[in-house]
Amino acid sequence: MSKINIGGQAVLEGVMMRAPRSMAIAVRRPDGEISVKSETVIPLSERFPITKLPIVRGAVALFSSLIIGIKALNFSANEALAEGEEKEEINDWAIAGTMAVAFGFGILLFFILPLYLTKLLIPIIGDSNIVFNLVDGVIRVAVFLIYIIGISRMKDIQRVFQYHGAEHKSIFTFEAGEELTVDNVRKYSCLHPRCGTSFLLIVMLVSIVVFSLIPKLWPFYFKAGSRIILLPMIAGLSYEVLKWTAKHDNHALVKMVIAPGLALQRLTTREPDDSQLEVAIKSMQVALELNDGFKDDRLVV
């Protein structure tokens, strides 16, 4: 098969893999069987050429990944339920509501809260716009790290992080051109430079630069509103940074740039067992088969 970019996401007791024209979710059921759901994906760039533009493609990729990710979580939650429990599919409106709540919570926690805390510190940090935005950025990254560390201590999340490691190992194996077997996949690292965790950290850092352009003297609600409006641009810029580092990850300077993201992945990945590797392999095999060797040089986050 021609080389393509493939990305993924850990879900409850499983892994979702996405190729340019396909998506597959594999989940380990309570009875030990692996349940798989797959579907073809029509690239938005075929319907809307504007989505091929730099920065725009990153913002589109982020929101499309959120939609697919929530659908994958919905499927995995139903399949991972104990036998005998009633399963109920979530409709599109419920998915949209879940996305809105999750997105709103993320904005409040990682963007509005740091801004408010920095505003309270003005008597201490002074009137410098540079200092204001640096302090705001440091608080934002600190809140992000505290959040990651906090959820990483939850038992159920730790299992998700094991599947996250299995996802990365499977992608490494595919990128190396090796056969997708448990023995081959097991030997690779859990830390991948094109990971969503690294992307989120890049978002945090890029936002420091972008938000520094907002005048400090603006009223609080103007600043808060502008941050929400600027999020698509920040996501797009962050995507371009991730795409560039993924293509040049052997360069010494790039290795320094991606090092913090890889370090952060030590919190969001765990070493998987062989049964979890089997699930990740199955997901990738189905996605690749459905993709049918479609050539694409786009980055899938």
Side-chain angles (χ1 to χ4, degrees), residues 28-192:
R28 180 75 70 179
R29 290 169 48 86
D31 60 9
E33 295 297 317
I34 299 177
S35 177
V36 181
K37 177 182 180 180
S38 62
E39 61 183 59
T40 57
V41 177
I42 301 175
L44 281 174
S45 59
E46 292 187 2
R47 291 180 290 174
F48 307 103
I50 193 174
T51 60
K52 295 180 181 180
L53 296 176
I55 301 180
V56 174
R57 60 187 174 185
V60 171
L62 173 63
F63 288 106
S64 64
S65 295
L66 284 173
I67 295 171
I68 291 175
I70 290 178
K71 289 183 177 180
L73 284 170
N74 174 37
F75 173 77
S76 68
N78 277 284
E79 293 301 311
L81 284 173
E83 291 182 277
E85 292 190 31
E86 184 179 353
K87 299 177 181 179
E88 182 180 353
E89 289 291 329
I90 301 176
N91 60 40
D92 290 341
W93 283 106
I95 290 174
T98 301
M99 281 188 61
V101 172
F103 195 64
F105 175 77
I107 290 175
L108 287 173
L109 183 62
F110 302 123
F111 293 95
I112 306 302
L113 177 62
L115 175 63
Y116 181 73
L117 294 177
T118 307
K119 178 177 177 289
L120 295 179
L121 292 173
I122 287 180
I124 299 175
I125 63 177
D127 296 329
S128 171
N129 194 48
I130 295 177
V131 174
F132 181 92
N133 285 287
L134 283 176
V135 171
D136 174 47
V138 169
I139 293 176
R140 188 179 311 114
V141 173
V143 170
F144 177 64
L145 292 177
I146 292 171
Y147 174 80
I148 294 295
I149 293 171
I151 65 171
S152 69
R153 297 180 181 275
M154 301 169 61
K155 184 178 179 180
D156 290 342
I157 296 298
Q158 288 178 1
R159 283 197 60 80
V160 173
F161 286 173
Q162 284 182 288
Y163 280 105
H164 192 190
E167 173 218 328
H168 286 180
K169 285 173 175 281
S170 300
I171 292 174
F172 268 128
T173 306
F174 169 72
E175 291 174 338
E178 295 192 43
E179 183 181 1
L180 289 166
T181 65
V182 171
D183 287 339
N184 285 341
V185 173
R186 188 190 300 120
K187 66 187 178 184
Y188 283 96
S189 172
C190 289
L191 313 180
H192 197 286

Side-chain angles (χ1 to χ4, degrees), residues 223-255:
K223 289 182 180 178
S226 63
R227 292 181 177 219
I228 297 174
I229 294 172
L230 289 171
L231 274 179
M233 185 180 74
I234 291 171
L237 288 170
S238 301
Y239 178 92
E240 299 302 327
V241 173
L242 186 67
K243 185 178 177 70
W244 179 77
T245 57
K247 285 186 175 182
H248 304 88
D249 58 357
N250 289 323
H251 193 282
L253 178 60
V254 175
K255 287 182 178 180

